[in-house]
Amino acid sequence: MALEFSPETLKRFEATVARYPKKEAAMLPVLYLAQREFGHLGPEAIAYVARLMGQSPARVHGVVSFYTMYNVKPIGRHHVQVCRTLSCALGGAEKITAIITKKIGIEPGQTTADGRFTLSEVECLASCGTAPMMQVNDDYYENLTEEKVTAILDGLK
Ligand code: FES
């Protein structure tokens, strides 16, 4: 069966589009809704959003591939995204990534075999004053230390 939004998400889609003067301007929040609904934005999800938005799949794919917050491949239950931009880099982001890699056994860009974690390195998440930091799904974890990172990962089931 082809992908489509649940009735509840379809209502949110309509409310989102109504907030913008042109449908096309709602592309980013609509893609966010699609990612929440489908887990990731593979070719089928992109084709569906393209139909909803009256755009070509190539155009939607262009938007999806430009932003790191959209996932084109399936991701783990916990998407661990370590910021590697300047403030975080100076604060030890590389070490944070190395600690995570050692603890969960995957490199950035990989997902654990049990589907529990995906690890990514991303650019600035606008929390530079609390570097080094990472985002896990919708939550920010800041002023990271080895102890903090270990405790956070242990707490993610
Ligand atoms: S540099 Fe890491 S949040 Fe801005």
Side-chain angles (χ1 to χ4, degrees), residues 4 9 12 18 34 78 84 106 111 125 134 153:
E4 54 182 49
T9 305
R12 292 183 71 188
H78 304 293
R84 64 176 176 193
I106 53 170
T111 298
L125 292 169
M134 67 182 183
L153 294 176

Side-chain angles (χ1 to χ4, degrees), residues 36 39 71 73-81 104 106 110-119 135-139 153-157:
R36 282 201 91 98
N71 305 304
K73 291 190 297 189
I75 55 161
R77 277 200 312 288
H78 304 293
H79 190 190
V80 179
Q81 300 167 79
I104 63 178
I106 53 170
Q110 297 180 333
T111 298
T112 54
D114 61 3
R116 189 170 163 207
F117 293 106
T118 294
L119 175 60
Q135 180 176 356
V136 182
N137 297 346
D138 292 335
D139 298 319
L153 294 176
D154 284 342
L156 299 172
K157 301 295 173 211

Side-chain angles (χ1 to χ4, degrees), residues 23-42:
K23 201 176 194 183
E24 189 181 355
M27 182 66 84
L28 298 184
V30 168
L31 285 169
Y32 184 74
L33 284 179
Q35 181 160 280
R36 282 201 91 98
E37 180 96 359
F38 306 132
H40 71 284
L41 298 171

Side-chain angles (χ1 to χ4, degrees), residues 15-28:
T16 300
V17 165
R19 289 205 305 268
Y20 293 85
K22 286 168 80 179
K23 201 176 194 183
E24 189 181 355
M27 182 66 84
L28 298 184

